[in-house]
Amino acid sequence: MENGIYNFYAGPAVLPKEVLAEARDELLNFGGTGMSVLEISHRAKPFEALVEEAEANIKELLSLGEEHRVLFLQGGASLQFSMLPLNFLREGETADYVLTGSWSEKALQEARKIGATHVAASGADGKYREIPSSFQWSDAPAYVHLTSNNTIFGTQWREFPDIGAIPLCADMSSDIMCRPIPARRFSLIYAGAQKNLGPAGVTIVIAKKEFLAKAAPVPYAMLAYATHAEAASLYNTPPSFSIYLVNLVTRWLKREGGLAAIEQRNIAKAKWIYDAIDGSGGFYRGHAASNSRSLMNITFTIQNAALEKTFNSQAEKEGLIGLKGHRSVGGLRASTYNALPPAAAEALAGFMAEFQKKNG
């Protein structure tokens, strides 16, 4: 336990301790320049090399090649809700959306302001406990959009739909790099870095070059993917420190054995907590259906809801921080992102068992 705590916050979230230490040690002298990365020009060769390395590392981790670009943008995933349809939803076309929670709903709301949309599937009637398994696609959609993991409801896609040549786009903010995925099947992936890949401030966009080439003209330079692709993410001053830390995290992921190794660790962490829920005899109740459970955000309630405030306060005294559920739904939530050590999940499971003994 580092500094006496385990950090279960949903975002901004835990970062690898060795990455933070590396950034600390290099803070006053980035790459031997004698300057901090916080003060070096984004046009300087060392920083341009950093951006190139970060792009190469992300593509390597996802098994992507020269047919893809990685962009480092600003505005969070929420700006991508608008930017995607601005670039790829033309008049007379329809974009399909799969609704699995609050963030996919917000993405749909923004797209509706720009063009025609169609809800191909929705888990709303089931209170977003389960990822849909059947879909009604529109005729020749401009693209299909989904949210790969849902922080509020604790659900995650196990397998992604095979839609052939239709462009598949995804918000992967909360589970990017948590496991190997068929990344080549996606025309565009976007993710706010602040949950699993770095700090707040930078949004990663991973897109097929051929898809970017089909973008509609956008009258706003900063909202056109072409602007950032042509300038290698340096059209304007980027969130340089956030990109720097993303690069350190990608190096860490490679040292840890890549996404296959990370996935096994994440499965083990989640199992500790799900086993505590399932073995409680109903004292704890998980929100997500068993076939849709997230590896990254484990949401649950206590049978006697009045105990949840006590659970939180006692957990904090034990150094288990950030377990309060999202304000929109309440309950409890343990976020088990890549950088959370396995000992944290084991400690939480132990605390849950002890709390039940005293209050069950």
Side-chain angles (χ1 to χ4, degrees):
M1 184 179 289
E2 187 76 19
N3 299 323
I5 67 166
Y6 286 128
N7 177 0
F8 290 94
Y9 277 123
V14 60
L15 286 163
K17 291 295 184 291
E18 62 187 83
V19 165
L20 293 175
E22 188 176 357
R24 175 201 61 201
D25 295 343
E26 197 178 38
L27 185 61
L28 300 181
N29 185 8
F30 163 60
T33 63
M35 297 173 285
S36 173
V37 71
L38 291 166
E39 59 187 355
I40 193 171
S41 170
H42 62 292
R43 305 293 181 190
K45 293 297 183 184
F47 189 80
E48 289 182 352
L50 183 158
V51 173
E52 291 173 2
E53 181 189 353
E55 176 172 9
N57 286 347
I58 288 170
K59 291 199 289 187
E60 179 182 344
L61 287 161
L62 292 172
S63 299
L64 299 175
E66 289 304 310
E67 71 279 5
H68 281 78
R69 287 301 314 269
V70 178
L71 307 177
F72 301 95
L73 309 183
Q74 300 176 63
S78 295
L79 182 59
Q80 295 303 306
F81 298 164
S82 303
M83 198 164 169
L84 176 64
L86 273 173
N87 282 261
F88 295 107
L89 182 54
R90 292 175 168 84
E91 185 176 354
E93 295 181 329
T94 299
D96 285 11
Y97 280 72
V98 180
L99 303 185
T100 52
S102 299
W103 303 113
S104 55
E105 287 181 348
K106 290 184 177 183
L108 174 65
Q109 290 168 9
E110 293 303 299
R112 281 175 170 167
K113 299 172 184 177
I114 295 163
T117 60
H118 167 74
V119 176
S122 174
D125 288 345
K127 297 183 179 179
Y128 290 128
R129 294 187 65 249
E130 190 170 9
I131 298 294
S133 58
S134 61
F135 313 93
Q136 295 294 325
W137 310 117
S138 64
D139 294 334
Y143 61 83
V144 169
H145 178 280
L146 60 83
T147 304
S148 61
N149 184 76
N150 303 281
T151 56
I152 295 177
F153 296 102
T155 60
Q156 185 180 31
W157 290 76
R158 296 280 179 86
E159 296 182 1
F160 298 108
D162 187 351
I163 55 175
I166 300 169
L168 181 59
C169 303
D171 175 0
M172 295 191 179
S173 294
S174 54
D175 69 343
I176 192 169
M177 301 292 183
C178 82
R179 57 180 177 165
I181 61 168
R184 293 176 183 270
R185 284 168 51 187
F186 290 85
S187 291
L188 188 143
I189 294 167
Y190 62 88
Q194 69 274 9
K195 299 178 185 295
N196 220 24
L197 199 52
V202 63
T203 304
I204 290 89
V205 172
I206 305 159
K208 290 182 178 178
K209 291 178 180 178
E210 65 177 12
F211 185 59
L212 293 176
K214 296 176 182 178
V218 177
Y220 319 105
M222 285 294 290
L223 298 180
Y225 289 114
T227 299
H228 303 286
E230 291 168 6
S233 300
L234 300 175
Y235 174 76
N236 68 322
T237 305
S240 54
F241 190 65
S242 296
I243 297 172
Y244 164 74
L245 279 169
V246 166
N247 191 44
L248 294 187
V249 171
T250 62
R251 291 178 181 176
W252 174 80
L253 285 167
K254 291 169 63 176
R255 291 196 300 270
E256 292 296 305
L259 302 191
I262 288 292
E263 179 184 33
Q264 293 308 306
R265 190 157 64 193
N266 287 333
I267 289 171
K269 288 186 297 187
K271 187 175 187 301
W272 275 107
I273 303 170
Y274 283 125
D275 283 354
I277 294 170
D278 295 341
S280 71
F283 182 82
Y284 300 109
R285 297 176 175 177
H287 177 78
S290 59
N291 65 351
S292 300
R293 283 176 161 178
S294 172
L295 291 178
M296 296 285 95
N297 306 101
I298 300 168
T299 55
F300 59 102
T301 58
I302 298 178
Q303 185 177 25
N304 179 358
L307 287 172
E308 289 174 3
K309 186 175 181 180
T310 303
F311 180 98
N312 265 314
S313 62
Q314 292 185 6
E316 288 184 356
K317 290 178 182 178
E318 297 295 322
L320 306 172
I321 307 300
L323 291 166
K324 187 177 181 180
H326 191 272
R327 62 187 180 277
S328 66
V329 296
L332 300 161
R333 172 174 58 184
S335 295
T336 53
Y337 298 125
N338 288 349
L340 186 80
E346 185 177 359
L348 175 56
F351 171 79
M352 291 169 69
E354 288 299 316
F355 186 85
Q356 182 179 355
K357 283 181 184 179
K358 295 176 183 177
N359 298 279

